[in-house]
Amino acid sequence: MTTPRHTSPTTGPVLVTGATGTTGSRLVARLTRAGHPTRAAGRHPVPVAGAEPVAFDWTDPGTHDAALDGASAVYLVPPPGATDPAAVMLPFLDRARRAGVRRAVLLSSSLIPAGGPATGTVHQALPGLVPEWAVLRPSWFMQNFTGHHPHADAVRTDGLLTTATGRGRVAFIDADDIAAVAAHALTDPVPHNTDWVLTGPAALSYDAVAAILTEVTGRPVRHRAVSEAELRTRLARHLPADFAAILADLDRRIADGAEDRVTDAVTRVTGRPPRSFATYCRANIQSLSSL
């Protein structure tokens, strides 16, 4: 972290984009419990206890001024499925700076560095757009196996995880731990002014994930390894072809070892270790009971 030049930025509301999403909903709950004024933004805003709902759409600049009015910090969740999020996010950040926002925290990915594709462009530009910033680069979410992600749906339906990751390992992370880091990055008196690669406490292969799911649920779950090309074809049945190619390439990179790492970032920022995958599964047995 850098030496602080300012106190906590939360003199005005913290604007949380994607406020009903996986990390955004958890972040809003944390901020409001801690007493921070919070503005929960979404295309279809819903009342959230302790937060101010506000309409927001990345592709509709007409919603941006009202969302930014008086805000001092913003949590940036990229538009879902966008291959070029910078096209809408950079103009928004310029508008945010002119509106008086001092701090921005971007949700990116552990596999995308500054200057990389998609959010990597926004990451690279962020320090020049706001004086206080942080980029969160989490590994893959544990929630992918219990929510409405294709992995969770396939496990429920067929007891099968299909990936192009081979024996590659991932240090899956609980979205609650991401939200905890985000809350600190948005409200700590010292601006972080860095990017955090966020992981869980252990790197697991998808074979190991299937074994844990089998143990916790009492039902057999197995991992089916396919080629990158086969996965790309499968994904393109439900997603735009270019986005399917990006996702398949991420699996290929996992197979090559790109996600086989564990960091201490969650502990350093929050003061406590991240939750393990087995602990997460046991805590979410109700969601897993339908497997």
Side-chain angles (χ1 to χ4, degrees), residues 8-285:
S8 173
T10 52
T11 52
V14 176
L15 173 64
V16 178
T17 67
T20 60
T22 304
T23 63
S25 60
R26 290 167 170 81
L27 174 59
V28 168
R30 283 182 175 274
L31 291 173
T32 56
R33 284 199 303 267
H36 297 289
T38 305
R39 191 170 288 161
R43 284 182 296 176
H44 306 288
V46 296
V48 179
E52 174 194 356
V54 61
F56 178 84
D57 187 334
W58 281 113
T59 62
D60 181 4
T63 65
H64 296 179
D65 285 342
L68 288 167
D69 184 31
S72 55
V74 59
Y75 180 63
L76 303 164
V77 177
T83 56
D84 183 22
V88 293
M89 296 184 76
L90 294 185
F92 171 79
L93 279 165
D94 182 65
R95 181 175 294 196
R97 175 181 58 184
R98 289 185 279 112
V101 171
R102 295 201 57 81
R103 186 174 293 193
V105 174
L106 170 67
L107 179 67
S108 185
S109 165
S110 58
L111 282 179
I112 302 177
T119 49
T121 303
V122 184
H123 178 168
Q124 186 173 51
L126 192 61
L129 290 170
V130 289
E132 302 176 2
W133 60 278
V135 178
L136 310 186
R137 296 172 54 203
S139 185
W140 299 85
F141 293 10
M142 294 178 183
Q143 279 72 14
N144 291 354
F145 302 99
T146 58
H148 299 290
H149 188 275
H151 280 328
D153 294 338
V155 168
R156 291 186 186 103
T157 302
D158 304 315
L160 191 64
L161 288 169
T162 301
T163 80
T165 61
R167 295 182 179 179
R169 301 194 305 171
V170 177
F172 296 96
I173 184 168
D174 185 352
D176 284 335
D177 289 325
I178 301 169
V181 173
H184 278 275
L186 287 161
T187 65
D188 281 350
V190 179
H192 292 193
N193 289 2
T194 192
D195 66 306
W196 295 110
V197 176
L198 306 176
T199 75
L204 303 171
S205 68
Y206 276 83
D207 288 331
V209 166
I212 292 170
L213 291 172
T214 298
E215 179 183 358
V216 171
T217 65
R219 294 183 56 190
V221 178
R222 67 184 181 89
H223 173 223
R224 177 174 175 255
V226 300
S227 68
E228 179 186 354
E230 181 177 344
L231 181 65
R232 183 170 60 246
T233 299
R234 290 170 61 91
L235 293 173
R237 296 170 188 162
H238 310 287
L239 299 169
D242 54 352
F243 192 56
I246 289 173
L247 293 179
D249 180 65
L250 291 178
D251 265 28
R252 189 269 307 166
R253 294 175 64 186
I254 290 171
D256 291 343
E259 283 279 23
D260 194 353
R261 58 181 168 178
V262 172
T263 74
D264 64 352
V266 172
T267 303
R268 288 175 63 191
V269 174
T270 70
R272 59 171 179 76
R275 180 183 285 188
S276 72
F277 184 68
T279 300
Y280 170 81
C281 289
R282 287 192 291 268
N284 287 273
I285 187 64

